[in-house]
Amino acid sequence: MSDFLVIVALAALGAALAGLLAAPAVRALRRRSVALSLFAVAALAVAAMAAGTVAVAQAMFLSGHDLGVVMAVVAVSGVVSLAAALLFGRRIAAGSRELARSARTVGSEGGFVAPAEPPTAELAALSQALEETSGRLAEARERERALDASRRELIAGISHDLRTPLAGLRAMAEALEDGVAEDTARYHARMRVEVDRLAAMVDDLFELSRIQAGALALTLSRVSVYDLVDEALAGAGPLARASGVRLVAGGVVQLPVHVDAQQITRVLGNLLVNAIRATPADGTVAVSARQEQGRVVLAVEDGCGGIPPEDLGRVFDTGWRGGAARTPRADGESGAGLGLAIVRGIVEAHEGRTTVRNAGAGCRFEVELPTVGPPPATDAPALQPAG
């Protein structure tokens, strides 16, 4: 047992000596090619094995012939090991260079093209990660382009919408200043209407900026869907009567939701105002609420005649307005393309979802909100049409 321990100690001493001599070379190879590093590691292993073998052979007093045989075996094994390390290292280096060339395409228009066969599992995982990153960058680029297009459209629309009332206000102010206005009270009333329109646009822009900046503060409370719909119908009733449009409550469940009542009322109000303005006189706008798979679905259906299928995906984009919406109304009212964007932002802040589809003679806008429990035990009276 003692002889065996001596042999082990001598082999360890020889290997340690070889390692100490190779330490400067290992430090010099930092940030060098992986092929050269692998070759150096294999060379160190061969040198350590040879040094240990020589030390043990000398201690065992082997004959010159036997020592030559042992060293020949060590030399052949070392050559084979070094050759294998060199070939494998060159293969890894080539795969790394190919992956580096492919990595330069991340974020480009053509997208990342992964190497065909990465030589190691680590390079394959890195290639997969770069491919996923490239996909996310492409999606972000498309979103940025869409946002930029909607931003340009919004600026153009807002500029037009602001220019029209401002021009009217200037003309009426000049008429009043020159004393050529025959009915000053009428001019003052009309100026007040135009100022209210401008204030509403500014309020919408401010609200949308808060939503897009993630600064929309919600005051959540437990409220009934019935109360939300009732309040929204009451608010939209005067506009519906003035436009000759009938508001109909097409079935409203009395379910509780945990929401900001003021913001959700604004959501319903925006949907109702858009529906009323898009529906011709003698048309009908229906509001309903139902429970579906643990969520409350609020729906507003109008008689606008439908939206072209290619535009359905853009309805909630900032600044988007359909062809009919771009035509000024007889009452001078026109939207700035912010109402539905605000609707989507508020609903998503509540962890809900907004959708739109063509249905019947018009469109059906739906808002999904999570419920917070079973319906109340008391029965509420049926909602009455508000217009």
Side-chain angles (χ1 to χ4, degrees):
M1 185 64 181
S2 60
D3 292 340
F4 177 77
L5 293 177
V6 170
I7 292 173
V8 171
L10 290 174
L13 181 61
L17 181 62
L20 289 175
L21 294 176
V26 172
R27 286 195 298 269
L29 289 176
R30 289 185 300 177
R31 298 182 180 275
R32 297 297 181 88
S33 169
V34 65
L36 186 58
S37 297
L38 286 175
F39 182 81
V41 169
L44 176 59
V46 171
M49 180 180 65
T53 301
V54 169
V56 172
Q58 292 293 336
M60 294 176 64
F61 302 103
L62 294 179
S63 65
H65 177 270
D66 293 341
L67 180 60
V69 171
V70 171
M71 295 308 298
V73 172
V74 171
V76 172
S77 301
V79 170
V80 172
S81 299
L82 291 175
L86 181 60
L87 291 175
F88 190 60
R90 292 182 62 182
R91 182 185 174 197
I92 294 178
S96 300
R97 288 192 297 269
E98 185 179 359
L99 183 58
R101 285 193 297 269
S102 299
R104 296 188 182 97
T105 64
V106 173
S108 64
E109 292 292 335
F112 174 77
V113 180
E117 294 182 1
T120 65
E122 290 78 9
L123 290 180
L126 179 58
S127 176
Q128 178 66 27
L130 289 174
E131 189 171 7
E132 294 173 356
T133 301
S134 180
R136 288 194 294 270
L137 287 174
E139 293 175 359
R141 186 169 55 248
E142 289 301 320
R143 286 196 300 270
E144 182 62 26
R145 287 176 178 172
L147 286 173
D148 188 57
S150 65
R151 191 178 300 114
R152 289 195 301 268
E153 189 174 358
L154 171 63
I155 292 173
I158 286 292
S159 300
H160 176 271
D161 291 334
L162 291 176
R163 188 184 299 116
T164 300
L166 286 174
L169 285 171
R170 174 180 293 177
M172 288 184 283
E174 290 175 351
L176 290 171
E177 185 179 31
D178 296 338
V180 298
E182 298 180 358
D183 188 353
T184 57
R186 178 172 172 272
Y187 272 64
H188 287 143
R190 188 60 194 174
M191 291 174 70
R192 175 60 183 271
V193 171
E194 297 298 335
V195 169
D196 289 342
R197 286 181 59 199
L198 290 172
M201 277 189 258
V202 172
D203 288 343
D204 284 347
L205 282 171
F206 178 70
E207 187 73 9
L208 186 61
S209 67
R210 288 202 304 162
I211 290 173
Q212 293 182 342
L216 180 64
L218 299 178
T219 304
L220 302 178
S221 61
R222 183 186 176 102
V223 295
S224 172
V225 173
Y226 177 90
D227 295 330
L228 294 174
V229 174
D230 189 29
E231 187 173 349
L233 286 174
L239 177 61
R241 288 190 291 271
S243 303
V245 175
R246 295 184 300 277
L247 286 181
V248 177
V252 179
V253 296
Q254 193 188 180
L255 287 172
V257 288
H258 195 59
V259 298
D260 187 318
Q262 182 179 359
Q263 295 294 346
I264 297 301
T265 299
R266 179 169 190 175
V267 165
L268 291 173
N270 283 1
L271 293 177
L272 286 171
V273 168
N274 283 352
I276 292 168
R277 288 177 176 170
T279 301
D282 295 329
T284 299
V285 172
V287 186
S288 62
R290 70 182 189 279
Q291 186 176 23
E292 185 176 286
Q293 297 180 352
R295 300 173 73 85
V296 170
V297 180
L298 302 170
V300 175
E301 189 167 342
D302 58 36
C304 68
I307 298 175
E310 62 272 15
D311 288 339
L312 284 173
R314 300 186 57 209
V315 168
F316 293 101
D317 290 350
T318 302
W320 182 86
R321 293 179 292 181
R326 296 181 187 275
T327 304
R329 291 166 49 90
D331 58 7
E333 295 289 340
S334 62
L338 304 180
L340 293 179
I342 291 174
V343 164
R344 180 175 62 180
I346 293 174
V347 172
E348 290 180 351
H350 285 83
E351 299 182 356
R353 188 168 68 100
T354 55
T355 58
V356 60
R357 68 176 188 271
N358 291 323
C363 307
R364 183 179 179 88
F365 290 83
E366 292 188 346
V367 171
E368 295 184 12
L369 297 171
T371 58
V372 292
T378 58
D379 295 329
L383 291 177
Q384 298 299 322

